[in-house]
Amino acid sequence: MTIRAVLFDFSGTLFRLEHDSLAEHADLMRALTAPVGVAEGLDVDPDEWERRDLDGDLHRDLHVKALLAAGAVDPHDFYARLCSPPFWQPYPDTADALGTALPTAVVSNIAWDIRTVFARHGVEGLVDEFVLSFEVGHVKPDPKIFRIACDRLGVHPSEVLMVGDSEEADGGAAAVGCRVAIVPPLETGERSDALLRVLREHVA
């Protein structure tokens, strides 16, 4: 089946949370940005953690609690940085990958408006739709969030490629008939062209 549209995950796929001021809590950052489930070392209620990307207040409270437990001096300031555009870096091929002629949507489990990150890097206009969990009321791998994205783009799921970094979360797109491609969530300096390679492989 010909691919007529592409869905992209946000964190670990198009952008990565990277900044020198976050380096001291690198292990915690990986835990906080785990795509699904409660990562090892986080002392939070599992049920609440599963719902964090549906509720901005809950997202903030749980992250502040985890940051405080990890010894962050000012967890509220630290959390603000996690949701701040300057702390998110694009992968080297993000702009080119978004700049294909195909309809494109970003599908993310997130509780804050990531459009500001895309705008900061001049690529917001390359995204046709943002399908964010806190806005649509569903989190990956729930098939509903992928159906919403396909419907908004006006393309049947069988003609859509989902590109993400998590088999468990982004792989949920396969349940609605999308093709799925996984890229590794490496540091941005260690992954130069994974997105473009995936597109070359799956998009004629």
Side-chain angles (χ1 to χ4, degrees), residues 129-176:
E129 295 287 344
F130 284 88
V131 183
L132 311 182
S133 59
F134 82 103
E135 294 181 337
V136 301
H138 305 289
V139 296
K140 299 180 290 187
D142 188 335
K144 294 185 182 70
I145 195 170
F146 302 107
R147 288 191 183 279
I148 290 171
C150 294
D151 288 347
R152 287 188 180 179
L153 294 177
V155 181
H156 191 274
S158 63
E159 299 176 304
V160 173
L161 172 67
M162 174 70 211
V163 182
D165 69 302
S166 168
E167 287 279 5
E168 188 172 359
D170 303 309
V176 301

Side-chain angles (χ1 to χ4, degrees), residues 81-157:
R81 282 181 274 167
L82 303 186
C83 303
S84 180
F87 293 84
W88 289 87
Q89 306 306 318
Y91 282 92
D93 56 347
T94 287
D96 289 337
L98 291 174
T100 67
L102 297 176
T104 299
V106 172
V107 183
S108 178
N109 288 352
I110 201 77
W112 54 279
D113 192 352
I114 59 175
R115 293 175 183 85
T116 56
V117 176
F118 288 76
R120 175 181 172 82
H121 293 280
V123 295
E124 184 180 13
L126 300 178
V127 179
D128 296 293
E129 295 287 344
F130 284 88
V131 183
L132 311 182
S133 59
F134 82 103
E135 294 181 337
V136 301
H138 305 289
V139 296
K140 299 180 290 187
D142 188 335
K144 294 185 182 70
I145 195 170
F146 302 107
R147 288 191 183 279
I148 290 171
C150 294
D151 288 347
R152 287 188 180 179
L153 294 177
V155 181
H156 191 274

Side-chain angles (χ1 to χ4, degrees), residues 28-62:
L28 179 59
M29 293 304 97
R30 283 191 290 271
L32 292 175
T33 56
V36 293
V38 178
E40 184 177 352
L42 286 187
D43 182 20
V44 294
D45 180 276
D47 292 332
E48 289 189 335
W49 190 252
E50 289 293 333
R51 293 185 287 106
R52 74 193 186 281
D53 289 322
L54 297 173
D55 183 324
D57 291 338
L58 179 62
H59 187 273
R60 181 196 61 240
D61 292 346
L62 289 176

